[in-house]
Amino acid sequence: MARPVDWAGGRLRPLGIDEVRLDGGFWGDRQRLNGEVILGHCLSWMERLGWIDNFRDPGAPHRGREFSDSEVYKLLEGMSWEAGRGGDAELDRRVTHLAATIAAAQQPDGYLNTRWHGDRYADLEWGHELYCYGHLIQAGVARLRSSGNDGDPLVQVARRAADHVCREFGPGGRDGVCGHPEIEMALVELYRATGGERYLEQARLFVERRGRPALADIHLGRAYFQDDMPVRRARTFRGHAVRALYLASGAVDVAVETGDDELLAAVIAQWEHTVAARTYVTGGMGSRHTGEAFGEDWELPPDRAYAETCAGVASVMLSWRLLLATGDPRYADLAERTLYNVVAASPAVDGRAFFYANPLQIRVPGALPDPDAENPRVEAPLRAPWFTVACCPTNVARTLASLSGYVATADGGGVQLHQLVSGTIDTTLAGGRRVGLRVTTGYPWTGAVTVRVEHTSGGPWRLSVRVPPWAAAEHGTERYATEERDWRPGDEFRLDLPVRPRWTRPDPRIDAVRGCVAVERGPLVYCAESLADDPPLAGLHVDTSAPPAEQPPGADGLNGLNGLGGVPVTVAATTTGPPGGDAALPSWPYGDPPAVAGPAPAEPRPATLVPYHLWGNRGPATMRVWLPEDA
């Protein structure tokens, strides 16, 4: 089965891209954009910058960062899923051709890295050799699962690399780990795909070695590498956010496959703490630019939010694994929030520019990036076509290509729909019962979801559809709307969720946004966006005496931004003084309240908030999610 995550040991069995097909709608349109534009965009930049030439001519000066190989592998993973999903023969040939190029650069013992040729594994902290292998192995697994061909060149390259790692770092070999976790979950997936026990054991060794410590200390501290304490002893995610979430994903994989309930419980506790005190309302993770890292509890500044797109992808990967292991819908809840407000926010509506960081406030409009140059500034306030560190575009590409593998599951009693997407499901339940479903929905713009039974064979089974937490109480259901009966073709299951705007207030311990509110509508977070000719956002505050108004939603932005579903609110703004206004600066901005009261607010005026995932598509702008509330 073509599943990004494939195991039989959890509570739920994941359905793969060969069983779930997205068909239009919010995510189907983005998956189509990925196949038609984003994958090709990434490939053209890698060719232009010489990152693929690194494999063609290993003796030439290396181009790109020391981990540029990993971007080629992530692209190959996305291309493999897309070729398997859509049956694109030309894309399939491209994968085969690129895999042959990579195979030619692999050394006889399986070592493969275009940056390091002589002193192997001399810098485990920063060299990224094992990290690159991880993405190579995941690309090979994607190719194997989507094509079914164990002899495919990409599959063979990945297996030779994995065997090399097991020889070098297994029992009696090098006693180390990679500074950037990733290979752990890749090795477990290779074990699942091939049955090779050595791959699972190597992943377990990497998880258990971390935190002894296994790496050298650095100026950011060992917590940056999650090497300050063993995985089992940590109480929360800390350090570099992407590294932390990749490691947690690998630890869950190891725990499930080895029956290690203690390890699984440790990661669940870390996830719970992180979600409770270290996660943005968008689902973004990582509040510090320094170290691309988690901050302390409640350290969630909106304007300095890092919330890297790759951390959003990693969070979805972890949430999916925890959902499969436990069946608990809260993991699907966070995955939904993160998908709509981090992953969907990264690509521009044309698929040719991306956000790397995802702040919740922009104070100064950014300059338009050079469309023909790498952007060295990952925190830029506008999407860029490419980055010197280009991990996010390729992560988005592979996620969108495999997204249908993160939608639904099955168990012995029936089918569970965790993400409310338009498409079809065709799977086989226990006892050989075939089930075919069509899901029709305008979600997230509307709350109507219809599941129609297309075909079914023999006896009753249970259909469960997740109800998001913001809708569960009003809808009068548990977290899954469930019906079990002897279904017949043509039968329908309908759900109507109350998708309308609502005020959201932060925990008062998040001091950076104390006294502010945000607006959410369904799974979407909204923001105020001010273009060049719009009123400024500085000094803005919002009237929350009545619920935010409803406005009929429009297009989701893929075919243009006119008429998209905005939310009207009433705001007022004080003058701000130079350089953003005409009022004089005070002589000193601190003192007793009367001394710093400032000018009176302007007359209230209407404003329309826009979906956060669409901000920045109309040009340079200021933006804010959290709006100060009228006293």
Side-chain angles (χ1 to χ4, degrees):
M1 294 295 183
R3 306 176 183 120
V5 179
D6 189 7
W7 68 39
R11 290 279 302 276
L12 302 174
R13 173 176 65 85
L15 302 187
I17 67 170
D18 51 342
E19 297 172 288
V20 181
R21 300 280 178 170
L22 305 186
D23 182 12
F26 189 97
W27 289 112
D29 287 347
R30 282 163 174 78
Q31 192 173 68
R32 175 183 51 77
L33 180 73
N34 185 58
E36 294 177 356
V37 178
I38 294 176
L39 290 170
H41 175 88
C42 293
L43 180 60
S44 68
W45 272 96
M46 291 182 193
E47 289 282 15
R48 181 190 311 182
L49 296 174
W51 295 3
I52 295 175
D53 283 339
N54 288 332
F55 294 94
R56 296 184 179 117
D57 188 4
H62 186 267
R63 285 138 292 194
R65 291 291 302 269
E66 64 275 16
F67 41 76
S68 65
D69 290 0
S70 71
E71 311 311 341
V72 179
Y73 301 150
K74 277 188 286 183
L75 175 62
L76 266 173
E77 181 187 347
M79 293 168 68
S80 295
W81 291 125
E82 181 65 22
R85 183 188 70 83
D88 186 330
E90 175 58 30
L91 183 60
D92 189 82
R93 283 191 290 272
R94 288 185 183 180
V95 173
T96 299
H97 178 73
L98 185 51
T101 299
I102 291 169
Q106 189 170 34
Q107 297 186 25
D109 68 347
Y111 183 85
L112 176 57
N113 191 285
T114 67
R115 172 62 179 84
W116 312 109
H117 302 293
D119 197 1
R120 299 179 179 183
Y121 309 115
D123 187 0
L124 288 173
E125 289 76 22
W126 303 108
H128 287 79
E129 286 156 288
L130 293 171
Y131 169 78
C132 290
Y133 286 142
H135 284 300
L136 170 61
I137 293 166
Q138 286 189 310
V141 169
R143 186 64 167 167
L144 175 58
R145 288 179 176 160
S146 59
S147 72
N149 181 10
D150 186 60
D152 182 90
L154 182 56
V155 177
Q156 292 301 305
V157 170
R159 293 193 68 165
R160 286 195 295 269
D163 290 340
H164 166 81
V165 169
C166 292
R167 288 193 302 271
E168 288 287 320
F169 289 88
R174 301 173 188 264
D175 190 22
V177 301
C178 186
H180 198 311
E182 209 285 335
I183 194 172
E184 296 83 358
M185 56 179 160
L187 285 168
V188 177
E189 288 302 335
L190 187 59
Y191 156 73
R192 291 168 176 158
T194 66
E197 293 281 349
R198 61 191 178 281
Y199 305 134
L200 175 60
E201 174 59 16
Q202 188 61 55
R204 188 192 68 79
L205 287 174
F206 281 145
V207 170
E208 296 295 356
R209 286 173 185 170
R210 195 169 295 270
R212 296 181 307 183
L215 297 164
D217 201 3
I218 61 170
H219 66 289
L220 295 168
R222 287 195 173 96
Y224 174 84
F225 299 127
Q226 296 75 50
D227 194 41
D228 54 326
M229 66 181 72
V231 174
R232 298 171 191 272
R233 285 181 43 204
R235 71 179 187 91
T236 190
F237 300 144
R238 70 252 178 255
H240 188 281
V242 180
R243 285 169 163 86
L245 293 164
Y246 278 172
L247 176 62
S249 296
V252 171
D253 285 338
V254 168
V256 169
E257 293 297 345
T258 61
D260 192 334
D261 293 340
E262 179 190 66
L263 180 58
L264 178 61
V267 178
I268 288 174
Q270 294 160 25
W271 183 93
E272 290 172 340
H273 187 109
T274 302
V275 172
R278 299 187 175 191
T279 302
Y280 284 98
V281 68
T282 56
M285 292 189 179
S287 58
R288 292 182 178 176
H289 286 237
T290 299
E292 302 180 308
F294 287 101
E296 297 298 322
D297 290 353
W298 319 114
E299 183 187 339
L300 295 165
D303 52 344
R304 293 298 295 165
Y306 203 71
E308 184 182 340
T309 296
C310 284
V313 168
S315 176
V316 171
M317 295 168 70
L318 174 59
S319 292
W320 182 243
R321 285 164 165 79
L322 291 172
L323 173 67
L324 297 177
T326 67
D328 192 326
R330 59 186 173 158
Y331 302 117
D333 296 338
L334 182 65
E336 176 184 75
R337 179 177 294 274
T338 308
L339 282 168
Y340 280 103
N341 300 295
V342 179
V343 177
S346 179
V349 293
D350 67 358
R352 292 182 170 87
F354 305 86
F355 280 136
Y356 186 113
N358 294 276
L360 280 70
Q361 182 173 356
I362 295 294
R363 297 178 180 272
V364 179
L368 290 171
D370 185 340
D372 297 316
E374 296 174 274
N375 192 328
R377 296 182 57 242
V378 297
E379 71 276 14
L382 283 174
R383 295 173 180 87
W386 202 248
F387 300 92
T388 303
V389 177
C391 49
C392 294
T394 52
N395 238 345
V396 168
R398 70 175 181 143
T399 301
L400 291 176
S402 61
L403 188 61
S404 55
Y406 293 90
V407 167
T409 59
D411 61 12
V415 174
Q416 302 82 39
L417 182 64
H418 304 287
Q419 300 302 333
L420 308 179
V421 298
S422 292
T424 60
I425 297 173
D426 192 339
T427 190
T428 303
L429 302 181
R433 292 172 294 169
R434 288 287 304 280
V435 171
L437 306 173
R438 172 165 288 281
V439 184
T440 305
T441 181
Y443 196 79
W445 310 110
T446 64
V449 182
T450 300
V451 183
R452 177 184 174 86
V453 177
E454 298 287 291
H455 61 81
T456 183
S457 59
W461 51 273
R462 183 175 58 254
L463 175 63
S464 302
V465 180
R466 183 181 61 89
V467 178
W470 47 265
E474 185 170 344
H475 193 265
T477 68
E478 299 295 331
R479 292 304 317 287
Y480 284 90
T482 299
E483 185 171 348
E484 182 171 2
R485 60 187 170 101
D486 192 358
W487 298 91
R488 293 288 185 267
D491 287 349
E492 290 186 345
F493 179 93
R494 292 179 178 148
L495 192 64
D496 195 7
L497 302 176
V499 175
R500 53 177 167 266
R502 62 191 185 274
W503 301 117
T504 296
R505 290 178 172 83
D507 187 298
R509 288 170 287 188
I510 307 175
D511 55 348
V513 292
R514 192 179 295 141
C516 295
V517 295
V519 171
E520 296 181 86
R521 185 181 185 278
L524 301 179
V525 173
Y526 278 68
C527 66
E529 182 183 35
S530 180
L531 303 178
D533 297 329
D534 294 338
L537 299 180
L540 176 147
H541 50 98
V542 65
D543 179 6
T544 58
S545 60
E550 179 64 282
Q551 176 170 302
D556 70 359
L558 277 179
N559 299 311
L561 295 171
N562 294 329
L564 64 88
V567 172
V569 296
T570 299
V571 300
T574 59
T575 53
T576 60
D582 297 328
L585 285 172
S587 60
W588 181 244
Y590 309 101
D592 293 332
V596 295
E603 287 296 315
R605 61 176 174 83
T608 299
L609 307 184
V610 301
Y612 174 80
H613 73 269
L614 289 175
W615 92 268
N617 276 285
R618 297 179 291 173
T622 57
M623 177 276 294
R624 64 186 305 166
V625 167
W626 291 106
L627 309 173
E629 188 173 4
D630 274 347

